[in-house]
Amino acid sequence: MAKEKHLIPVVVRETVGTAASRRARRQGMVPAVVYGHGAEPKSFLITVKDWDHIAKQDVQIVQLKPNKGAELNVLIKDVQYDYLKSMTEHIDFLEVKMDEIITASIPIHTVGTPIGITQGGTLEHMLHEIEVECTPITLPEFIEVNIDAIELNGEINIEDLKLPEGVTATGDPKQTVLHVILPRVAEEEEEDAAEGTDAPTEAAPAGEKGDATSG
Amino acid sequence: MPLMPKRVKHRKVQRGSIAGLAKKNNKLDFGDFGLQAMDRCYVPNNQIEAARVAITRHMKRRGKVWIRLFPDIPITKKPLETRMGKGKGNTEGWVARVKPGRVLFEASGCTETVAREAMALAANKLAVRCKFLVRESH
């Protein structure tokens, strides 16, 4: 949970726009923008090597060190990823003051194996990350949850998470983070039901995430 | 019962296009592992069902599977040896339009090895080039 400073050297962009961004990507750089506090957005370039080093870790707050100007404390707000070429296309940073309250999503890491699994249950993650409010200084990189004690049909809610001091979860306290449940037997075709070997299947819920329609 | 809509607004639709990349449904949202399309194509309902059966049988009740696509586009075909004209053919099947980057299936509650094998079996059933996905925190 202890945080170390992540310093990224960045270069101020002289040229902006699509063509300049593509040229920069070909030269092994990732375009980035810093905005926040009503100031003019600033455009930077980060080397792929520096970014990959940061991207492999659960880092939320980084320090940008431009070749011109003062250092900036920023929150990684959004990362655009090209999944066909497996490369980062663009990064959005939000400039933060170290004493202001910010909202950020932090991942949940689990430790151990629930008792419920030995009783025939399956561990199901309902939330992989939660939204918290705190200052950048107190913002944890991840939240660790010990799941050894979860029995069958047991669950851990947001209110059960041990958050560091000064950090509050913004979501519904009763919302389930993870639970251990018996695998549901799905309605199968006759031949599958006779064999009885199929795992439960679920159509992704319709809506923003699991949109049933293509398009 | 094949995968198809319960009711539709229009019985027959024009082909349209599958332009661009998947702007949504292109990340893992539910499970720890997934199968992502790398090409654009129509995936018929029988292929989706075959892929689902391949995944669930390989996982042997050890987890959960999500189907992230639904065949909601009717495909029509004119009968053989029929002269042109006389209107559009009858509905022959249902397909899902898939753009590059679309996550087709997700799974959780099993080891990465089992998931990878299951998704490889499923990818063989689909008429689209696919990539295996793993959640970073897994």
Side-chain angles (χ1 to χ4, degrees), chain A residues 148-205:
Chain A
D148 279 332
I150 308 180
E151 294 185 354
L152 191 61
N153 296 325
E155 62 181 23
I156 288 185
N157 299 333
I158 287 183
E159 63 187 354
D160 302 327
L161 297 175
K162 284 176 188 163
L163 299 174
E165 209 171 308
V167 180
T168 51
T170 57
D172 178 11
K174 296 288 180 194
Q175 195 173 0
T176 306
V177 176
L178 45 89
H179 58 187
V180 177
I181 51 167
L182 274 177
R184 279 173 291 169
V185 180
E187 288 175 24
E188 296 296 338
E189 288 175 19
E190 286 175 12
E191 53 176 335
D192 295 339
E195 291 172 18
T197 54
D198 282 8
T201 313
E202 196 171 282

Side-chain angles (χ1 to χ4, degrees), chain B residues 4 6 11 26-28 35 39 44-45 49-50 52 59 63 67 83 91 95 105-107 114 117 120 124 130 138:
Chain B
M4 58 185 282
K6 283 181 186 143
R11 287 182 301 123
N26 56 11
K27 290 192 284 268
L28 289 177
L35 192 66
D39 291 325
N45 52 1
E49 178 62 11
R52 183 196 68 81
M59 286 173 58
I67 307 170
R83 290 182 183 274
T91 303
V95 297
F105 292 94
E106 288 187 36
V114 171
E117 288 166 358
N124 284 337
C130 294
H138 192 268

Side-chain angles (χ1 to χ4, degrees), chain A residues 83-84 124 128 184-185 188-189 192 195-205 209 211-215, chain B residues 21-22 24-25 30 32 49 52 56-57 61 63-68 70 72 97 99-102 131 135:
Chain A
Y83 36 81
L84 296 175
E124 199 175 309
H128 292 277
R184 279 173 291 169
V185 180
E188 296 296 338
E189 288 175 19
D192 295 339
E195 291 172 18
T197 54
D198 282 8
T201 313
E202 196 171 282
K209 282 182 174 178
D211 197 354
T213 59
S214 62
Chain B
L21 306 176
K24 59 179 181 177
N25 298 334
F30 301 98
D32 294 324
E49 178 62 11
R52 183 196 68 81
T56 52
R57 285 192 179 163
R61 288 175 171 270
K64 193 169 172 181
V65 178
W66 287 266
I67 307 170
R68 297 289 307 276
F70 188 80
D72 58 348
R97 282 193 188 120
K99 295 180 179 183
R102 172 93 184 200
K131 184 167 87 169
R135 190 175 287 280

Side-chain angles (χ1 to χ4, degrees), chain A residues 18-192:
Chain A
T18 309
S21 299
R22 285 180 182 158
R23 273 196 296 275
R25 288 188 196 108
R26 278 199 293 273
Q27 290 163 4
M29 310 292 273
V30 183
V33 65
V34 178
Y35 47 78
H37 293 139
E40 277 290 303
K42 304 173 207 57
S43 298
F44 295 109
L45 290 172
I46 303 172
T47 63
V48 172
K49 191 181 166 189
D50 287 336
W51 173 249
D52 283 350
H53 179 67
I54 294 291
K56 281 176 191 164
Q57 307 166 50
D58 290 318
V59 178
Q60 319 291 335
I61 300 282
V62 293
Q63 254 186 330
L64 299 183
K65 190 181 176 188
N67 56 342
K68 293 176 208 166
E71 287 183 6
L72 301 164
N73 291 310
V74 293
L75 172 76
I76 301 171
K77 190 76 178 165
D78 190 28
V79 179
Q80 289 174 31
Y81 191 72
D82 186 333
Y83 36 81
L84 296 175
K85 294 176 188 164
S86 298
M87 59 179 268
T88 306
E89 283 199 316
H90 188 268
I91 309 154
D92 278 22
F93 294 112
L94 177 70
E95 191 173 358
V96 291
K97 289 174 185 162
M98 295 311 270
D99 54 352
E100 71 174 333
I101 299 286
I102 57 164
T103 308
S105 289
I106 49 173
I108 297 166
H109 290 190
T110 55
V111 181
T113 311
I115 304 168
I117 286 189
T118 57
Q119 298 163 343
T122 310
L123 177 68
E124 199 175 309
H125 288 258
M126 306 302 284
L127 288 179
H128 292 277
E129 51 186 36
I130 61 163
E131 204 167 78
V132 295
E133 270 184 354
C134 59
T135 60
I137 296 171
T138 53
L139 181 69
E141 292 181 347
F142 57 87
I143 292 174
E144 209 168 70
V145 189
N146 194 325
I147 56 172
D148 279 332
I150 308 180
E151 294 185 354
L152 191 61
N153 296 325
E155 62 181 23
I156 288 185
N157 299 333
I158 287 183
E159 63 187 354
D160 302 327
L161 297 175
K162 284 176 188 163
L163 299 174
E165 209 171 308
V167 180
T168 51
T170 57
D172 178 11
K174 296 288 180 194
Q175 195 173 0
T176 306
V177 176
L178 45 89
H179 58 187
V180 177
I181 51 167
L182 274 177
R184 279 173 291 169
V185 180
E187 288 175 24
E188 296 296 338
E189 288 175 19
E190 286 175 12
E191 53 176 335
D192 295 339

Side-chain angles (χ1 to χ4, degrees), chain A residues 82-85 214-215, chain B residues 17-26 35-43 47 69 96-104 123 126-132:
Chain A
D82 186 333
Y83 36 81
L84 296 175
K85 294 176 188 164
S214 62
Chain B
S17 68
I18 322 177
L21 306 176
K23 290 280 191 289
K24 59 179 181 177
N25 298 334
N26 56 11
L35 192 66
Q36 189 176 41
M38 302 298 282
D39 291 325
R40 69 193 76 241
C41 79
Y42 287 129
V43 177
Q47 289 183 13
L69 74 169
R97 282 193 188 120
V98 169
K99 295 180 179 183
R102 172 93 184 200
V103 175
L104 309 174
L126 302 170
V128 59
R129 205 159 46 94
C130 294
K131 184 167 87 169
F132 180 69

